[in-house]
Each structure stands twice: as C-alpha cells, then as structure tokens.
C-alpha cells in the first residue's frame, strides 16, 4: 500500500508499510502533477479557459558532499542561443537524459491538463553510479514572475514514486495556499542512499525565483 507523506516525512523506497522487500527499484518513475486553479468572475465562468502554465521538472544529482560535481558543457546552437548545463548532473528540459543513461525526463507538459502525471522523471536507482548519493527533485514555473504565475494559483500539486512493476510506493500532495503566493519554484522531494537502500523525503520548500539555476546555486562547488 502506498504511503501518503507529510512534509518532512521520510520512507524507505524499497520496503512497503509491512516491512517486506516488495518494491522493484530497477526503474522508478517520479511523477509530478498539478491543476491550474480556474479563473473566477464572470468571464472566467463564461469562457471556462485557464492560462497556460509551463511547470518544469528538474533533478539534481548530488555527490557525497551534497554538490553537483559535473556541470557539463555549453552547447552552441545554430540559432545563436547557447544551452548551458548540457550533459551535466542536472536533468532538465534542455538536457533530458543523464550521460549515465540511468535517469531521464520524459517530456514537457505546458498545461497540467488531464489526469495522472503531468511530467515524469525516470530513475534506474539500482543502476545509478555509486558516486551519486542524493537526487533532489525541483519544479519551476517557466517565466512565472513575468507572467505573474505562482504556486498559490496551482491546485492538487503532487509528487509520487512508482516502482518498475507499476506499484505506487509513496505520494506527497501539496495544494496551493496563502503560503505559496509569489513562489515560483519548489524543491518537492529528495531521494538519498542510506545503509544500502534508498529513502525518499518530502520537502515542499518554496522559492520566489522562477529560474531553477537560482535553486541550484547552493548545490554547486564554489
């Protein structure tokens, strides 16, 4: 049975709530979902339309010092816009698969419409190189500040972990509230090694910035 986590709560990803080694971590899906709060007022009810919200899922792979060791390269593009952090230990929309091949982002959902996961990060935890001790999962609203969008406008936000056999291991739900007003990024959760197993901790740490690079800075070597 999946465990619904509270903020700050930690569970062992491999063991279920009965203590049995039931979960298959050969491939774990970290799914993120959200709904945009419907507009109020006459026009909102009349047209029933919701603005486009582009929430991006990001993962930081950290070493034993809690830092991102590989910052990758800068990819030169023909249109003149460079891509930074390419083939690095940061998985995001411009570098969707880790060089190890053991963690990748499946795609980019720009609306949050539909049931189930809106974005997914796939991790082969049992094959992830030993040098990685922790994975931090972040969600940012792309251009949230300029579009005046924030997590206080989002409902039913969640992050969950599903094992290789499709069993939901755990879920952490975080609905919009007054404390999320003006917050455009969120450190949702982290997975980390502990005595040969992987643990998962719900965090729910909000940030005002809409640029995940700002969230990344404390995890980098100076």
């Amino acid at each position: 049975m999946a465990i619904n986590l509270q903020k700050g709560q930690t569970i062992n990803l491999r063991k279920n709530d009965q203590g049995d080694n039931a979960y298959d971590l050969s491939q774990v899906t970290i799914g993120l979902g959200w709904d945009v709060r419907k507009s109020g007022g006459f026009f909102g009810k009349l047209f029933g339309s919701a603005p486009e919200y582009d929430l991006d899922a990001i993962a930081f792979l950290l070493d034993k010092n809690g830092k991102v060791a590989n910052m990758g390269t800068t990819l030169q593009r023909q249109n003149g816009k460079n891509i930074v952090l390419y083939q690095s230990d940061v998985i995001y929309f411009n570098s969707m698969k880790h060089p190890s091949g053991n963690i990748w982002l499946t795609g980019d959902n720009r609306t949050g419409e539909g049931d189930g996961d809106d974005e997914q990060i796939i991790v082969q935890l049992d094959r992830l190189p030993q040098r990685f001790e922790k994975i931090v999962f972040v969600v940012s609203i792309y251009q949230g500040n300029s579009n005046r969008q924030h997590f206080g406008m989002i409902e039913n936000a969640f992050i969950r972990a599903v094992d290789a056999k499709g069993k939901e291991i755990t879920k952490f739900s975080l609905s919009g509230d007054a404390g999320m007003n003006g917050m455009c990024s969120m450190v949702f959760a982290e997975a980390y090694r502990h005595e040969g197993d992987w643990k998962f901790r719900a965090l729910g740490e909000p940030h005002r910035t809409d640029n995940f690079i700002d969230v990344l800075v404390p995890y980098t070597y100076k």
Side-chain angles (χ1 to χ4, degrees):
M1 181 182 296
I3 297 175
N4 291 316
L5 291 180
Q6 301 297 316
K7 185 175 180 178
Q9 188 177 357
T10 302
I11 68 160
N12 188 314
L13 281 179
R14 195 177 302 277
K15 298 178 181 179
N16 65 17
D17 57 349
Q18 302 299 318
D20 300 322
N21 293 330
Y23 295 120
D24 182 351
L25 304 188
S26 62
Q27 184 163 301
V28 175
T29 299
I30 303 298
L32 299 113
W34 66 89
D35 294 320
V36 177
R37 183 174 296 168
K38 294 186 181 298
S39 301
F42 174 77
F43 289 105
K45 294 178 180 178
L46 178 64
F47 296 106
S49 61
E52 180 178 281
Y53 278 61
D54 186 2
L55 272 70
D56 295 316
I58 304 110
F60 305 155
L61 277 70
L62 310 183
D63 63 12
K64 63 181 181 180
N65 298 315
K67 303 292 184 180
V68 173
N70 174 22
M71 298 297 288
T73 61
T74 299
L75 179 66
Q76 307 292 330
R77 303 186 72 179
Q78 292 182 350
N79 62 8
K81 186 176 181 180
N82 296 335
I83 294 178
V84 298
L85 297 172
Y86 185 70
Q87 293 290 289
S88 70
D89 290 341
V90 178
I91 309 303
Y92 74 113
F93 50 85
N94 274 338
S95 189
M96 296 175 62
K97 190 166 187 176
H98 189 261
S100 71
N102 299 131
I103 177 170
W104 62 93
L105 179 65
T106 61
D108 187 15
N109 183 316
R110 299 191 174 190
T111 65
E113 293 182 352
D115 296 328
D117 302 335
D118 294 309
E119 293 208 2
Q120 293 179 332
I121 296 176
I122 311 297
V123 191
Q124 296 174 328
L125 287 176
D126 287 344
R127 298 179 60 184
L128 201 65
Q130 287 293 320
R131 65 180 181 276
F132 299 118
E133 294 285 334
K134 181 183 292 187
I135 308 169
V136 175
F137 299 99
V138 178
V139 181
S140 291
I141 304 175
Y142 181 70
Q143 296 183 340
N145 287 321
S146 59
N147 292 330
R148 297 184 179 181
Q149 298 172 343
H150 52 78
F151 275 93
M153 300 175 173
I154 292 171
E155 296 179 330
N156 306 319
F158 68 84
I159 183 169
R160 66 180 189 139
V162 179
D163 82 347
K165 297 177 181 177
K167 293 181 180 179
E168 186 175 87
I169 306 170
T170 187
K171 187 173 185 178
F172 171 47
S173 299
L174 186 64
S175 297
D177 56 38
M180 299 300 165
N181 289 340
M183 303 299 176
C184 297
S185 292
M186 180 78 61
V187 180
F188 250 94
E190 62 184 14
Y192 62 95
R193 296 184 193 272
H194 180 75
E195 296 180 352
D197 275 328
W198 282 91
K199 290 197 171 186
F200 188 89
R201 178 180 294 132
L203 296 175
E205 297 175 356
H207 296 264
R208 290 191 177 276
T209 181
D210 60 4
N211 188 342
F212 77 87
I213 300 295
D214 296 329
V215 182
L216 174 64
V217 168
Y219 299 101
T220 60
Y221 287 99
K222 305 301 182 182

